[in-house]
Amino acid sequence: FLLDFYFTRGFASRLYEEHEKMENVILAAENIAETLSRFDLTKAHENLDTSTLPPPLHNAFSSILSNLHVYRPYIPDAVFDELRHAGELLKEVPAPGLETKKAALVFTDIQGSTATWEACPEGMREGLKVHNNVMRECLSEHNGYEVKTIGDSFMVAFEDPSDA
């Protein structure tokens, strides 16, 4: 009986240690992902260097960070600033059931937005907030699902093409 007790206690203790390690990995990954989502590349790089992520996850984040460094020169500063502060704009409509085999994908983009960002970043920032809120309200009313948003572009899906 005593042997079973110590075995069980040792197993539970080891399980608790592994659980703590996993929680630390999850927190580190969330922290890195959060800094990447704000395009804070310097902070993301610092977080990645000090993290204890498993090699596959570390490599994946390193690859994302490397790609962001490559693409950074092609993103206008005003757009880049907006992406850093987009947290309040990212309220996604939940995914539809997709019970049928039919679906419609819709892609949107604000025409001439890059020039507008450069000419009037404050006005464009406010306009983008209005645009995103209107898009999300329409998606909600028409059973749409926000697949992803990049800058001022949306990729949305509808289970029923007539809702699109």
Side-chain angles (χ1 to χ4, degrees):
F1 172 77
L2 203 52
L3 186 59
D4 285 343
F5 171 76
Y6 284 117
F7 176 75
T8 303
R9 185 172 178 205
F11 177 76
S13 176
R14 182 73 178 139
L15 191 59
Y16 179 76
E17 289 172 12
E18 290 299 315
H19 176 64
E20 272 190 15
K21 284 181 189 176
M22 283 304 291
E23 279 186 339
N24 290 335
V25 166
I26 291 168
L27 288 174
E30 285 177 344
N31 193 18
I32 294 166
E34 192 267 333
T35 55
L36 285 173
S37 73
R38 287 183 289 113
F39 286 80
D40 188 346
L41 305 184
T42 303
K43 186 70 173 173
H45 192 67
E46 290 170 6
N47 290 342
L48 186 61
D49 286 345
T50 60
S51 71
T52 55
L53 295 175
L57 193 53
H58 187 276
N59 293 343
F61 277 122
S62 292
S63 177
I64 291 169
L65 194 53
S66 174
N67 287 337
L68 288 173
H69 278 293
V70 169
Y71 293 121
R72 171 59 183 100
Y74 301 102
I75 301 173
D77 288 339
V79 172
F80 200 71
D81 290 340
E82 180 59 31
L83 292 171
R84 284 189 186 130
H85 305 292
E88 75 269 10
L89 302 176
L90 298 177
K91 298 177 220 154
E92 292 187 5
V93 174
L98 294 178
E99 297 168 2
T100 66
K101 300 284 183 191
K102 295 179 184 177
L105 289 177
V106 177
F107 298 88
T108 70
D109 185 58
I110 298 176
Q111 188 173 7
S113 64
T114 302
T116 307
W117 273 112
E118 293 298 325
C120 185
E122 287 303 316
M124 188 62 187
R125 182 173 289 115
E126 288 305 310
L128 184 62
K129 287 180 185 179
V130 171
H131 168 266
N132 290 356
N133 287 335
V134 169
M135 281 292 299
R136 290 184 174 113
E137 285 175 23
C138 288
L139 288 171
S140 181
E141 291 172 15
H142 296 278
N143 304 312
Y145 171 67
E146 182 177 332
V147 177
K148 68 179 177 177
T149 307
I150 299 174
D152 62 19
S153 300
F154 276 77
M155 176 182 179
V156 297
F158 297 86
E159 185 173 352
D160 184 346
S162 66
D163 287 336

